[in-house]
Amino acid sequence: MKVYSFRTNKEDKDIEELLESLKEDRSQYIKNALRFYRDFGAKIEKIEAILEKLEQSGIQAQKLPQPSKPELAAESEPPNDEKILLESLEDILSL
């Protein structure tokens, strides 16, 4: 089994604090972080590019009030694609 290691620099205080706070299994944490980046790194970059384009176009994300009853939502007009996209991106970023 191969062993990998890395050194931290002076500007990596945040990484050092995070790793020091982990009592056990730092290597598993690092492996999971690398897998997450492998699986979602490109998707996150695409989302950032979409958000940047939305900001440049002047579209502002707005929190819409949630209807108190499901019947009210069904009776109102269907939301447009832009609102759905903004709400979806907002949900993803709040994870």
Side-chain angles (χ1 to χ4, degrees):
M1 189 177 337
K2 291 183 180 181
V3 175
Y4 297 94
S5 65
F6 61 94
R7 295 178 191 261
T8 57
N9 297 323
K10 290 179 183 178
E11 58 271 355
D12 293 333
K13 296 271 186 211
D14 57 334
I15 294 172
E16 289 177 8
E17 289 173 4
L18 177 64
L19 291 174
E20 287 173 3
S21 70
L22 298 172
K23 300 290 183 202
E24 298 175 12
D25 213 7
R26 292 178 184 158
S27 61
Q28 187 62 42
Y29 181 86
I30 294 168
K31 286 191 282 188
N32 288 339
L34 287 170
R35 285 187 181 111
F36 178 86
Y37 183 76
R38 176 200 62 202
D39 294 342
F40 299 107
K43 291 178 183 179
I44 292 171
E45 288 175 8
K46 287 180 184 177
I47 291 171
E48 287 176 340
I50 291 170
L51 288 173
E52 188 175 310
K53 286 179 184 176
L54 287 173
E55 287 176 2
Q56 289 174 355
S57 69
I59 297 174
Q60 297 293 326
Q62 297 178 356
K63 276 270 193 199
L64 299 175
Q66 296 295 327
S68 58
K69 296 180 182 178
E71 295 86 20
L72 293 176
E75 292 174 2
S76 66
E77 63 183 348
N80 62 22
D81 294 340
E82 187 177 292
K83 288 181 183 177
I84 294 172
L85 175 64
L86 288 173
E87 288 174 358
S88 299
L89 288 173
E90 202 170 64
D91 290 341
I92 290 170
L93 293 175
S94 67
L95 292 177

